[in-house]
Amino acid sequence: MEESQSVAIEFQKVVKKFGNFTAIHNANLKINDNEFFTLLGPSGCGKTTLLRMVAGFEDVTEGNILLFGQKFMHLPPNKRSVNTVFQQYALFPHMTVYENVAFGLRMKGWSKGNIDTTVREMLDLVRLTPFAERKPNQLSGGQQQRAALVRAIAPKPKVLLLDEPLSALDLKLRQAMRMELKQLQKETGITFVFVTHDQEEALAMSDRIAVMSEGVIQQIGKAQQIYEGPKNEIVAKFIGETNILDASVVGLNKEETKYRIAEDFIITGESVEGLTKNQNVKILLRPEKIRITPLNVNATALRGVIEESMYLGTDTEYQVKVSGGVILKIRDQNGFERRELISLGSHIGLSFSKDSIRILSS
Amino acid sequence: MTLANSVRSIPGFSILAVLCLVILYAPLLVVMVYSFNDSVSITIWGGFSLRWYEQIFFGLEAEKFQKAAWNSITIAFMAAIVSTTIAFSAAVGVVRTSPFKGKNLNISLLSLPIMVPEIVTAVATLIFFSMISFKLGYTSILVAHIVFCIPFAYLPISARIQSIEKVYEEAALDLYANRKEIFRSILLPLMLPGIISGFLLAFIISLDDFIITSFVKGAGVETLPTAIFGSIKQGIKPDIMALSTLLLLVSTLFVTISYFLSRADIKNKLN
């Protein structure tokens, strides 16, 4: 982490227990100021618990959380300058959109004039000005979402916490809201901590992502780092489609490493430090990194038989049986060259570059 | 075909439905129509007249009925206010707290009195009053009404409070509101329809109670139901029908208000 960036939130050895169940195991995490940071993981992985501890709805069993270097765990939620966008929006049903957005400012004791200026500014920002006098139940899902968003932004929190705010919207709206959220983060300069189980959402919006599973932060990094270089099997499986192969190291030198997956199924990757001969490893090979080639091009190329195919529009997914009975998933893009689907049972050749092979730590 | 439609297609369905409605409402209709009867007889129609209404307001028994009506309304009003307040506190205490030992028992105990035969409650209340030498009269009626109205007020209030999701409270807390403000600006407005329903229900239950009232009223103090019963003992007179019609009108009004309140509520929730 660069020294020049100030840290908005720092989790220090945070442990959270509910009775005998440990929801968070020793979480260490620094979220930078003005960052769009995503906590990504399947439901029940503890990501929402982390968020709720920052908001103040859950206490910390062990460890500490700092807000811009300051201790704040002793403060009740209404004394913390962080705001939350709730999954179900939680707009107050008996108040108008205007009153909802004004609520936090009123509670903070702002003057009437100040409140009015800010609320109008906020409603303008998300194009809700014509709906100011409506009750939440008279708004569409997307409008409710935007109202909940500016209600949380209006008091100018130091950090905005977003708890799966897009999960209730339909696909088209969700995609449009991604752009809007990203823009809003840039415009306001507020640190966003976004919780989601949707990997696509995480990859599309985040400056950095923390992948969580079973209460453990598995990996922290930029979208590309996480996708291209997942640290372990959990991360690899959670983000994107994968082929994970059990292999043993059969040859290694300065340029390359050879792995045996089955009797006559040996592949070559870049050299990796710390490997020893005969070591058992897990290899990650993303389906879109494998290319289907005609059989006769390269005699030494890997061969396989198409077992299944699934046409997905932008690409087609094939399941290919290669030697040793291993099944590989392959994503073939239906792109520039128009291509017929390859029929089941066809024999094909396969190729991939050395650098698309990744070793996963167990 | 939906289930409702298939039921509707059974032969004789509409006849049966109309018959049920007639059985339900015919006695009430008879009372209402004959309250405008000019004849002294309660069974022979003698033309339209408002004389029985005049009678209950200005006739021989007018003073007695007015006094009884005044007692009924003031007791119902005070009993409803006090029992709603108690029921509200109980509901907040039971529903809005984390589970404690005996929470379910508490909920059952609060609603159980509705199922106790009223005559038993009446006898028990009377025995209790005489044990503590409480003088029977206006105050004893009021106290008894307050007590038996509590479970009726409790039901709609606790149902409403239960339906308020905790996330609103969290959202308010997140937006810098303190406990007092959360209660004032968020919880109370959301609970209000339930509180009004509870109040109206308690008011109606108190207004038309007869059994308990007749046990604990003591001599000389009457509410409308006991006054009507007292009059009827000397034979049914048309003015009683006029009085009953007015009472029916008040009840209908309250039930209607309560209905529209809960409907607005459901509409809010559906959206």
Side-chain angles (χ1 to χ4, degrees), chain B residues 34-39 45-54:
Chain B
Y34 274 84
S35 71
F36 297 104
N37 187 3
D38 196 37
S39 157
W45 181 254
F48 179 83
S49 145
L50 289 174
R51 61 185 280 204
W52 305 116
Y53 286 91
E54 222 178 293

Side-chain angles (χ1 to χ4, degrees), chain B:
Chain B
M1 197 187 280
T2 65
L3 192 64
N5 278 332
S6 67
V7 168
R8 229 176 281 160
S9 68
I10 294 171
F13 173 82
S14 37
I15 296 168
L16 201 66
V18 171
L19 194 70
C20 284
L21 286 175
V22 168
I23 292 169
L24 270 175
Y25 285 97
L28 292 178
L29 266 176
V30 168
V31 168
M32 282 166 77
V33 170
Y34 274 84
S35 71
F36 297 104
N37 187 3
D38 196 37
S39 157
V40 187
S41 159
I42 57 160
T43 48
I44 301 156
W45 181 254
F48 179 83
S49 145
L50 289 174
R51 61 185 280 204
W52 305 116
Y53 286 91
E54 222 178 293
Q55 177 115 4
I56 54 172
F57 282 105
F58 307 106
L60 280 173
E61 288 188 303
E63 204 190 331
K64 175 182 142 194
F65 285 141
Q66 271 165 30
K67 219 173 152 191
W70 176 250
N71 284 343
S72 270
I73 289 167
T74 50
I75 287 173
F77 190 69
M78 287 190 281
I81 284 186
V82 178
S83 62
T84 305
T85 309
I86 295 171
F88 174 70
S89 316
V92 169
V94 173
V95 180
R96 295 205 62 82
T97 48
S98 46
F100 55 86
K101 211 177 156 196
K103 183 166 177 163
N104 282 327
L105 183 71
N106 238 304
I107 294 169
S108 324
L109 280 179
L110 273 163
S111 359
L112 192 65
I114 291 179
M115 280 165 279
V116 172
E118 206 184 333
I119 187 75
V120 177
T121 312
V123 171
T125 312
L126 181 62
I127 292 172
F128 175 71
F129 282 153
S130 61
M131 274 171 79
I132 61 167
S133 314
F134 196 79
K135 196 172 156 284
L136 296 185
Y138 185 91
T139 320
S140 65
I141 301 176
L142 179 60
V143 171
H145 279 218
I146 287 172
V147 171
F148 79 73
C149 281
I150 290 171
F152 291 95
Y154 177 78
L155 283 182
I157 296 175
S158 69
R160 175 71 198 181
I161 293 179
Q162 245 154 5
S163 76
I164 300 173
E165 287 172 62
K166 199 159 164 56
V167 72
Y168 293 125
E169 223 175 321
E170 283 187 351
L173 197 61
D174 190 64
L175 291 164
Y176 313 103
N178 56 31
R179 287 272 151 214
K180 214 171 101 192
E181 270 300 334
I182 291 172
F183 190 77
R184 209 179 64 88
S185 311
I186 310 295
L187 294 179
L188 202 57
L190 291 178
M191 290 172 184
L192 201 60
I195 297 172
I196 294 172
S197 278
F199 175 85
L200 293 179
L201 196 60
F203 187 89
I204 281 299
I205 294 286
S206 162
L207 192 68
D208 73 10
D209 177 74
F210 173 75
I211 301 177
I212 293 174
T213 311
S214 62
F215 269 65
V216 301
K217 73 187 177 61
V221 183
E222 302 285 351
T223 64
L224 260 185
T226 61
I228 290 172
F229 185 72
S231 290
I232 271 181
K233 274 197 281 197
Q234 296 134 35
I236 305 171
K237 281 172 293 171
D239 60 341
I240 294 300
M241 296 202 199
L243 194 57
S244 302
T245 306
L246 287 179
L247 204 53
L248 184 67
L249 202 70
V250 174
S251 296
T252 312
L253 193 73
F254 272 69
V255 173
T256 311
I257 295 171
S258 178
Y259 169 76
F260 278 110
L261 274 175
S262 63
R263 212 176 62 148
D265 213 33
I266 289 163
K267 232 170 105 186
N268 263 334
K269 239 176 277 166
L270 284 182
N271 276 307

Side-chain angles (χ1 to χ4, degrees), chain A residues 83-85 147-157 160-161 190, chain B residues 174-175:
Chain A
N83 287 135
T84 309
V85 179
L149 206 56
V150 286
R151 181 179 71 172
I153 290 175
K156 307 209 160 47
L160 187 72
L161 310 170
I190 297 171
Chain B
D174 190 64
L175 291 164

Side-chain angles (χ1 to χ4, degrees), chain A residues 107-140:
Chain A
M107 292 304 119
K108 273 189 121 177
W110 288 25
S111 73
K112 272 233 159 67
N114 258 342
I115 293 176
D116 192 62
T117 320
T118 308
V119 173
R120 290 188 188 286
E121 215 174 274
M122 286 291 142
L123 293 177
D124 249 6
L125 192 62
V126 289
R127 306 177 309 281
L128 280 179
T129 308
F131 306 100
E133 293 312 313
R134 296 230 187 143
K135 293 276 177 69
N137 63 20
Q138 297 166 307
L139 299 180
S140 71

